[in-house]
Amino acid sequence: MKRALITGITGQDGLYLAELLLSKGYRVFGLIRGQNNPKYELVERTVPAVTLLTGDLTDLSSLIRAFAVAQPDEVYNLGAISFVAYSWDNAHLTTDVTGKGVLNILEAARLYAGDNIESIRFYQASSSEMYGKVQQVPQSESTLLWPRSPYGVAKVFGHYMTINYRESYGMHASSGILFNHESPRRGPEFVTRKVSQAVARISLGLQDEIVMGNLDSKRDWGFAGDYVEAMWLMLQQDEADDYVVSTGETHSIHELLDVAFNEVGINEWRDLVKQDPRFLRPAEVDLLIGDSAKAKNRLGWTPKVGFHELISMMVKNDVAEQKALANL
Ligand code: GDP
């Protein structure tokens, strides 16, 4: 029975990955942060077979302890402060967790493996936010990185540190450059879930309008459930490497609103959407579109759920959830 340690177990990717690994017969350990973490119960309810260990990416000794208990064959570092807009207000904390946290967990892995470095395989959750002010369209593994937020800068540090451990110590350390990926489990601070929740509430008469930021930016949105398969596949290869994981399609926030409102039968939504500078960012990533040819050719990975299906799934889920919450 293989053993896996997942950081960021409370997020959408952590939950989907835990389900995938459990279905493959893994013993799964999840690192959970902080006293009285309100998400503890969510993880226990969703994936009760996962063993939760207390630890923090900023605390190396807690990671060393987690490795001693989990004795993992595979480590998936999904933990991060992941909301881009928040990272300007908390740049140091984002750097410590999302950036230096990667160094901490790589170091914990190296110390744990000792002379037997090939006994451990490591996955780093890199991000399309690293492309920022995009230098090439579409973006591939060799596109110059030009991050546009403290979050993106921290992710670049983690990305290169992962490559550095691979090259310096021969660690099987891979990095997945994942483009935006969403699901009904996505946090409501992200734009897809914000829209799916608001559209559901508007359709049920529970809310009048939705207040948004920049409607012109474009993202390459995929389904998180598909993307965790790519993570696992990377660690099953003979050689560690870096892979872009994306759909290769890009859509604007306008299109997102179109699809979401259409799902509940509203075709004319302009009057229902207000814009507020509060949701604009000091610097914006305008156009993300990924070239995942390498993942397709080497891993045999392709996304299954398309944009329309994804947004429809999220809106349907939120309609059901909001109905239940409002006792409708
Ligand atoms: P990100 O790509 O990791 O920053 O994911 P988000 O889902 O937070 O944002 C995606 C894009 O949607 C960005 O270009 C935002 O500027 C844009 N956007 C427009 N309005 C909103 C909003 O109200 N909330 C969020 N989160 N993003 C918005």
Side-chain angles (χ1 to χ4, degrees), residues 79-82 93-102 124 151 154-155 158:
I81 291 185
S82 64
L93 185 61
T94 303
T95 303
D96 283 345
V97 177
T98 306
K100 283 163 68 186
V102 184
Q124 167 59 15
Y151 168 81
K155 279 287 179 186

Side-chain angles (χ1 to χ4, degrees), residues 166-217:
R166 183 163 78 219
E167 294 180 351
S168 303
Y169 303 115
M171 186 184 282
H172 193 294
S174 289
S175 174
I177 306 173
L178 268 55
F179 281 61
N180 294 53
H181 44 290
E182 319 294 314
S183 74
R185 291 172 173 168
R186 189 61 143 152
E189 66 275 31
F190 292 91
V191 74
T192 50
R193 187 77 197 287
K194 176 173 170 175
V195 167
S196 68
Q197 251 181 10
V199 165
R201 289 177 57 82
I202 290 170
S203 77
L204 296 169
L206 299 169
Q207 185 173 323
D208 297 328
E209 57 181 30
I210 169 169
V211 185
M212 304 282 302
N214 178 9
L215 303 187
D216 294 322
S217 60

Side-chain angles (χ1 to χ4, degrees), residues 44 142 200 309 312:
E44 286 213 306
S142 57
E309 199 184 335
S312 153

Side-chain angles (χ1 to χ4, degrees), residues 94-274:
T94 303
T95 303
D96 283 345
V97 177
T98 306
K100 283 163 68 186
V102 184
L103 173 57
N104 283 338
I105 192 152
L106 281 164
E107 192 55 13
R110 189 178 73 83
L111 291 171
Y112 167 73
D115 293 337
N116 201 7
I117 197 79
E118 60 285 344
S119 67
I120 204 149
R121 294 189 173 201
F122 180 86
Y123 172 84
Q124 167 59 15
S126 285
S127 162
S128 58
E129 286 294 319
M130 301 191 307
Y131 295 120
K133 189 175 170 191
V134 297
Q135 300 295 298
Q136 198 182 342
V137 179
Q139 296 89 45
S140 74
E141 293 79 5
S142 57
T143 301
L144 181 70
L145 304 177
W146 197 304
R148 297 264 277 173
S149 63
Y151 168 81
V153 173
K155 279 287 179 186
V156 171
F157 176 87
H159 182 67
Y160 281 116
M161 199 50 87
T162 302
I163 294 172
N164 189 250
Y165 268 62
R166 183 163 78 219
E167 294 180 351
S168 303
Y169 303 115
M171 186 184 282
H172 193 294
S174 289
S175 174
I177 306 173
L178 268 55
F179 281 61
N180 294 53
H181 44 290
E182 319 294 314
S183 74
R185 291 172 173 168
R186 189 61 143 152
E189 66 275 31
F190 292 91
V191 74
T192 50
R193 187 77 197 287
K194 176 173 170 175
V195 167
S196 68
Q197 251 181 10
V199 165
R201 289 177 57 82
I202 290 170
S203 77
L204 296 169
L206 299 169
Q207 185 173 323
D208 297 328
E209 57 181 30
I210 169 169
V211 185
M212 304 282 302
N214 178 9
L215 303 187
D216 294 322
S217 60
K218 292 183 158 186
R219 290 289 183 276
D220 177 336
W221 280 296
F223 172 51
D226 287 345
Y227 285 30
V228 298
E229 289 222 38
M231 298 176 185
W232 176 78
L233 283 167
M234 284 176 218
L235 298 207
Q236 311 316 307
Q237 306 305 304
D238 290 340
E239 302 287 334
D241 210 334
D242 307 317
Y243 296 90
V244 162
V245 178
S246 65
T247 69
E249 267 182 40
T250 193
H251 298 275
S252 66
I253 310 296
H254 277 281
E255 286 174 82
L256 165 66
L257 288 161
D258 253 343
V259 176
F261 274 110
N262 283 345
E263 184 63 36
V264 295
I266 300 175
N267 298 322
E268 196 33 74
W269 49 263
R270 306 277 153 174
D271 293 342
L272 302 172
V273 176
K274 299 280 174 299

